[in-house]
Structure formats: structure tokens, C-alpha cells
Amino acid sequence: MSSQVSSHPYYPLDAHIKEYAPNETSMQRLLATSSIATSVILGGTLTWISFLRPSLPKTDRFAILWFVLSGTIHCFFEGYFIIHHAHMASAQDFLGQMWKEYSLSDSRYMTSDTLVLCLETMTVLIWGPLCFFVSYLILNQHSLRHPLQLIVCMSHLYGDTLYYATSLYDHYAHGRSYCRPEAYYFWIYYFLMNFIWIVIPFYYLSQSIKAISSAFKALQRMSADGKAR
């Protein structure tokens, strides 16, 4: 393969991106296809839940949908990145084009940035499978649900915080921006699409902390009642 650096739309403009080829599919079609795929995954999961556990509370059904969606994105979409990161700039398959579109808000995904690659590798190998396992635990009302839910939510909060912090530090401290100047790339792609994995995990983290705390309080009361007798 040639080592020539092609012109590209990513920032910084001097980023070393080999053999860049513009997407052959429009942004609108990429987003529409991904929306349909997401709807199929969530609809199929909800149908499966309703068949296996028709009495499962709506709150737990939503939790399963969230963790299944997270696991799917981690294992398959982000899994694509760790496998193909070195030559995504020329990719024309669906996931490759999706990554090239998203990378307009963060070119580190086009340059095999060390931090991003390490974070994504851990996400694919550890946190993605754990999301699916937490879904299974919720479905079966297992006692390990909240300890493991707490762990995976903490991983999301830590990973997203580190992702934001390193990018913004480079921007403000070193004057090096990885995002194109158009506002929607920053606010919709970079900020909003990642902030979701702070807001919802924080909710489930709080839920697990409360559940574990309540369990220990109940155990302490039982222990105290036993001693009183």
C-alpha cells in the first residue's frame, strides 16, 4: 500500500491520514440505515423479553434495552474500529463510512490515536460483553445484577470523562483541535452522542448504589433483630 498522505476534511488539517477516500454514501442515508438497524435490534430485544418474561417491570425492560444497545455498539461498531483502525480512511463498507462520518468530530479515530485505541479495545473486550451479561442478569432478576451494573456504569463514566478530558485539554492547552469548526460536529456528534453515555449510566449507577445500600441496611436490621432476641 502507498504511504502517501491524501488530502482530507479532518482537523487538524496536517493530521497524517493515509489514502483517504470520501464516503460514497450520503450522510442522510448512513443515519437512516443506522436508525433502522437500531430499531430492529431494540424491537427484536423487546419482543424477546416479552416472550420470556411477560411480567418483567417496564423499568427493567428499558434497562435491558439500554444494556443490549450499549453491548451491540461496543462489540460490533467499536469492534470494527479496533480491527480496521489502521486503514479506515479508504473504507467504503457501511461501518467504515459511519466511522469516517463520526471522525469529522474527532479525527483521532482516523489516526489510530493511542488513547482512543486503548480505550476502545478495553470497551470491546470487557465492557461490551459485560453489558450483555448485565442484560441477562436483569432478565433473570439475579442477585449479581446491581454489583455488575455498578461496575459497567462506572466504566462508561470513566471512559467518557477521559475521552472528553484528553480532547479538550489538547484543544485548550495545545491549540490542537480534532473536530471540524462547524458547530453541529462538536455539539451533536462529539458532545451529545457521547454525553448520553454519561447521563444514562449515571442514573443506573445511582440505582445500583441505592439498591446495594438498601440490601445492607436490611441485613443490618436483621442482624440487630437477631441479637436482640
Side-chain angles (χ1 to χ4, degrees):
M1 293 178 66
S2 170
S3 61
Q4 181 180 1
V5 178
S6 305
S7 59
H8 58 75
Y10 301 102
Y11 272 60
L13 295 176
D14 62 352
H16 189 82
I17 299 174
K18 296 187 296 183
E19 301 178 347
Y20 168 75
N23 279 349
E24 296 175 353
T25 306
S26 68
M27 175 187 68
Q28 293 82 0
R29 187 171 180 180
L30 289 172
L31 295 178
T33 303
S34 62
S35 297
I36 293 171
T38 300
S39 299
V40 170
I41 292 168
L42 295 180
T45 302
L46 185 59
T47 301
W48 176 66
I49 295 169
S50 300
F51 174 75
L52 292 178
R53 294 286 187 274
S55 61
L56 196 69
K58 289 182 179 180
T59 53
D60 285 346
R61 294 185 187 211
F62 183 84
I64 291 174
L65 292 178
W66 166 253
F67 285 106
V68 166
L69 177 62
S70 294
T72 302
I73 291 173
H74 294 336
C75 290
F76 297 99
F77 185 57
E78 292 166 86
Y80 177 97
F81 168 75
I82 67 170
I83 294 172
H84 301 283
H85 66 91
H87 48 85
M88 281 204 306
S90 61
Q92 294 298 343
D93 54 275
F94 174 72
L95 292 181
Q97 291 188 79
M98 284 290 291
W99 272 115
K100 286 198 288 181
E101 177 65 24
Y102 174 76
S103 295
L104 293 169
S105 72
D106 190 347
S107 67
R108 291 180 295 177
Y109 285 95
M110 287 288 111
T111 58
S112 299
D113 178 82
T114 301
L115 173 83
V116 169
L117 185 57
C118 290
L119 279 177
E120 293 291 4
T121 300
M122 290 182 63
T123 298
V124 171
L125 298 180
I126 302 173
W127 310 127
L130 190 56
C131 282
F132 286 123
F133 188 49
V134 170
S135 299
Y136 169 81
L137 297 176
I138 298 172
L139 181 68
N140 290 281
Q141 302 289 283
H142 197 282
S143 60
L144 284 176
R145 178 255 179 101
H146 285 293
L148 292 182
Q149 180 173 290
L150 186 150
I151 291 171
V152 75
C153 288
M154 278 297 298
S155 77
H156 282 137
L157 293 174
Y158 176 78
D160 253 20
T161 301
L162 191 60
Y163 174 73
Y164 279 139
T166 52
S167 176
L168 294 175
Y169 181 80
D170 276 348
H171 177 73
Y172 290 108
H174 300 146
R176 188 170 182 82
S177 177
Y178 302 110
C179 181
R180 287 191 56 81
E182 294 87 351
Y184 63 89
Y185 286 122
F186 178 84
W187 290 110
I188 297 179
Y189 284 18
Y190 176 80
F191 178 77
L192 181 61
M193 292 177 69
N194 289 288
F195 193 62
I196 294 171
W197 269 267
I198 288 181
V199 174
I200 298 181
F202 182 78
Y203 168 78
Y204 285 118
L205 174 68
S206 301
Q207 181 191 66
S208 293
I209 290 173
K210 290 176 182 177
I212 293 171
S213 176
S214 296
F216 273 101
K217 286 179 181 178
L219 184 61
Q220 288 170 350
R221 284 195 297 268
M222 291 174 61
S223 178
D225 290 342
K227 290 179 181 179
R229 294 174 186 174

